[in-house]
Amino acid sequence: MKPTLLILAAGMGSRYGGLKQIDGVGPNDEILLEYSIYDALQAGFGKIVFVIRKDIEAAFMEKIGNKIAEVAEIDFVYQEYDTPITGVDAFPAREKPWGTGHAILVAYETIKEPFAVINADDYYGVDGFRSMARFLTSDCAPEHFCMIGYVLANTLSENGFVSRGVCEVDANFKLLSVTERTKIGREADGQICYEEAGQKVALPDETYVSMNFWGFHPSIFESLRKDFVQFVQDNWEKPKAEFYIPTAVNNMMNHQGLKVSLLPSQDLWYGVTYQEDRGTVSRAFQQFIAEGRYPEQLWA
């Protein structure tokens, strides 16, 4: 059975200032996500599942859904703050859904096979999809997941701060922890730092970070569900609290004996965190096409 690709596309992108998931960056107005899907299909993935909100469904289908349906099996699941989850009888009112862990959970009825998770607005590179496909078809198990780890220096934006999951690994690339760090950027002296409690903390350039490119066995859904039920109870009066993937994975590693392998990637990350990033990304894909990585007509 071919692995499935789950794409998190429900966020509006407040720092970017619009629905960045459907902004064109390719020569024929291809969006960033199309290149990830192309890489995934070339690597051996089968079904593509999109996590979206109902209010962007029409725009999403017009821009990409109808196109991808011609080349792959696709499905949609919907992430709203009150999407029904077994064990949660009611939800507190809030403006946004519950974060990336919740986004995975809403796909529990749709995915029955090993699957990868990516963000819709990040470009992960060809090698990452190849490594992920190999893991999901050969090594994935209820007690063994994986994550593609990127070199921090390869994941920065020239136009502002980024947030990254900073990884701790052992000598065998077993993941020990993922800690979310915010306001990461390169300082005037060349040092990469993040900000915590108003203080700058240095990080080596070669630090491995998570870009939300995970490989999971479908057994994760039940663990996520149990953790999410408790999370809603604990955060009933916190309307901005989010249930993140690393939090759930850390919990499984610490309490359920889960092994997570970090699969290193040297690929450069490209993304559109800020409006100004779009030009950089467009120029990069022009170069990729010139080098033969992608055809000029992606789906011809």
Side-chain angles (χ1 to χ4, degrees), residues 2-45:
K2 292 184 176 181
T4 286
L5 180 64
L6 180 65
I7 300 172
L8 310 187
M12 285 294 290
S14 58
R15 287 180 294 180
Y16 183 77
L19 194 59
K20 59 183 175 179
Q21 291 92 336
I22 58 175
D23 266 4
V25 297
N28 301 290
D29 207 34
E30 294 92 349
I31 68 175
L32 197 61
L33 179 53
E34 290 184 67
Y35 291 98
S36 289
I37 293 173
Y38 181 89
D39 288 339
L41 294 176
Q42 293 291 309
F45 281 77

Side-chain angles (χ1 to χ4, degrees), residues 5 13 28 48 53 64 83 93 110 112 122 131 147 170 173 188 195 207 209 212 227 256 259 279-280 295 300:
L5 180 64
N28 301 290
I48 310 295
R53 298 190 321 278
I64 185 171
T83 299
T110 303
K112 308 299 182 184
D122 290 314
S131 296
M147 185 198 73
D170 68 14
F173 288 95
E195 188 172 308
T207 302
V209 295
N212 255 3
D227 282 357
Q256 299 179 31
K259 176 184 177 182
T280 300

